[in-house]
Amino acid sequence: LRNNNTQVYAIILKSYLFPKDLQKWFDLLKGVPRTAIMNFFFSNFFCLPCFFVCVVLINLLVKHNRLTRPELIVMGNMALVFLFNNLAPAYEGWQMRGEWMARLYQPIFIVLFMYSVRSYQAIMRKSTNMALKWSVYGVFMLTLIGNGIVIFGPLLNNPFRLSSQVYWRFYQHSGPDSMQINLERYGRRPSGFCRK
């Protein structure tokens, strides 16, 4: 069970059992709310999480749809992983905390997607408020377009530099302009097709 990818969790657990610098721990805790927001939105490339938040807020008012028990369990488990990683006292080595690790929370995709689709369908079928229907439809279309720009960004030569920023915030393993630099250096081509 212990390898390069898992050993950091033992280090984090040990930091909870034997905290060293309480002031540094307190300073780290100040950044947790911002980290939670950034990790939530960029764990799934920004557009889908935005649509999810919109339909959650709408469903608080119109009560057409609720999160199911399995969806709540997935979200709760991801919240526990987030809290374990980000509430830990300071520790040495590879850090599992912070905005740079949004990719760890990508498993909430299935909840964001399923709930959003189910809510969209419920609002379109059940609501008699045409303004609400058109608003939700408009946000849905913006989500599709925005997500398309992000996903097909490399093929489209990174319009508005949106794709490079979203990918970088998903996993900040290199500079924020890495995608643009690579596009300029290597060009645009589909995966599997090499330049001769």
Side-chain angles (χ1 to χ4, degrees):
L1 293 176
R2 190 175 174 87
N3 59 44
N4 288 339
N5 288 322
T6 61
Q7 67 186 1
V8 68
Y9 294 105
I11 294 168
I12 296 171
L13 183 58
K14 189 177 176 184
S15 77
Y16 279 108
L17 299 174
F18 309 104
K20 292 180 181 174
D21 187 339
L22 295 180
Q23 182 57 49
K24 189 170 183 182
W25 188 9
F26 180 72
D27 291 341
L28 288 169
L29 292 176
K30 290 179 190 174
V32 171
R34 176 185 162 86
T35 299
I37 292 167
M38 297 298 280
N39 282 181
F40 172 78
F41 282 104
F42 289 101
S43 66
N44 283 279
F45 294 160
F46 191 71
C47 300
L48 179 59
C50 287
F51 186 67
F52 174 82
V53 168
C54 288
V55 294
V56 165
L57 293 175
I58 289 167
N59 278 306
L60 289 175
L61 299 173
V62 298
K63 297 182 179 17
H64 285 316
N65 208 8
R66 290 185 180 160
L67 285 164
T68 63
R69 182 176 292 160
E71 289 168 341
L72 289 169
I73 289 169
V74 170
M75 294 297 269
N77 284 333
M78 283 292 93
L80 288 174
V81 171
F82 173 83
L83 293 172
F84 178 77
N85 287 338
N86 287 278
L87 296 181
Y91 56 88
E92 297 293 322
W94 188 261
Q95 298 294 302
M96 297 301 283
R97 74 173 90 240
E99 295 176 23
W100 80 288
M101 291 297 270
R103 70 189 178 104
L104 286 181
Y105 310 103
Q106 191 177 28
I108 66 171
F109 167 80
I110 194 64
V111 175
L112 302 183
F113 181 76
M114 295 304 292
Y115 179 79
S116 295
V117 169
R118 216 172 52 248
S119 295
Y120 176 80
Q121 289 174 332
I123 291 166
M124 291 304 174
R125 260 184 301 157
K126 296 177 183 176
S127 181
T128 56
N129 184 333
M130 289 307 289
L132 175 65
K133 282 186 174 184
W134 279 106
S135 298
V136 171
Y137 178 75
V139 174
F140 178 72
M141 293 309 293
L142 282 174
T143 301
L144 289 179
I145 292 166
N147 206 45
I149 291 171
V150 171
I151 300 303
F152 295 108
L155 184 64
L156 301 172
N157 204 24
N158 195 20
F160 317 112
R161 296 195 182 231
L162 181 66
S163 193
S164 59
Q165 283 300 308
V166 172
Y167 275 104
W168 179 71
R169 292 192 182 278
F170 174 72
Y171 183 36
Q172 299 175 25
H173 67 299
S174 57
D177 290 329
S178 295
M179 179 185 286
Q180 191 61 39
I181 291 166
N182 285 330
L183 285 171
E184 290 167 6
R185 182 179 297 153
Y186 302 111
R188 298 173 290 153
R189 59 187 184 275
S191 177
F193 291 89
C194 297
R195 184 185 297 168
K196 292 188 178 188

